[in-house]
Amino acid sequence: MLSQDQIKLFKAQGFLVVEDVVTTALPAVRQEYEAALDTLWQQWRAAGRVQDTPGFENRIIAAYRAGCEYFQPLDISLPTREVATDVPMHTGPATFEMMRHPRLLDLVEALIGPEITSNPIQHVRIKPPATDMRDGEHRAHITKTLWHQDRGVTQEIADDTNMITVWIAVNDATVQNGCLQVLKGSHSRDDLLPHCPLPQVGIPDEFISQADVEPLPVKAGGVVVFHPMCAHNSLENHTSGIRWSFDLRYNVTGQPTGRPQFPEWIARSRAHPETELRDPAQWAKMWDETRRRLSHQPVTEFYRWDQNAPYCA
Ligand SMILES: O=C(O)CCC(=O)C(=O)O
Ligand SMILES: [Fe+2]
């Protein structure tokens, strides 16, 4: 899947854009999401909150405008703070198949080796146009994402974990609609850059040298892969349509994921193939059990940053 030159480039720069990785998985994923949104839509329509609107993209934008919460029911993880007994999330089989797409796992194997765990820090991000954003909208799943390193938003317990992020473009990601940007050279630093915890965990601008910023457009089906120390953000969506991505993470099996309260599973094992999870129903069940367990537990805070640090003022 990756050439020796691509592997070398990833090691040298801490990120890599690879086109056409999960293209064949996307039609089924789109269909699954259309159906999931349709179920929500029927409820909102029955409650008089939205009008009749055809099309996934139009419905997402109309839902945001109407204040209908589409993010959590379509996300592929539970919230990290409060987990209510009935909090929804998406665990459809097409999405599971995308997460274990052979070309994607070949790419991951080329970078972290053949014993691969699917890390539960993972999200869908379906972003409406910036012109629709409400004042005070800071959620990184809905609006632009501030500069951060993924290691900086994970518990310290995973600081030595060999992990990569695989960011999947479901529609073409462009500078106009809010693609990712990376800070070149950031992955090889010894220490994390400072982050401030509010309103969205982020590295203050004074630590970002504009000359080192590189936007990373990628076509639908392509991915951006990056190292947990590679600082990145995303641009605002200045189009009239949505920007849709998934971000998945994979780590070497047996190492801490950074979110021990959430389920992990073996996506590939050359040594013990019988341990691989291949059943989407099992994946859904793991999350159902996690929801049940966490809804009875106190909330765990997981950021290491102090909002009273001088650079956060
Ligand atoms: O898509 C975005 O806006 C940000 C994604 C991100 O931070 C990540 O994939 O780690
Ligand atoms: Fe990130």
Side-chain angles (χ1 to χ4, degrees), residues 230-241:
C230 175
H232 55 283
N233 77 346
S234 67
L235 292 164
E236 281 187 338
N237 178 3
H238 289 299
T239 68
S240 56

Side-chain angles (χ1 to χ4, degrees), residues 148 150 226 232 249:
H148 67 280
D150 279 1
F226 53 92
H232 55 283
R249 285 159 197 77

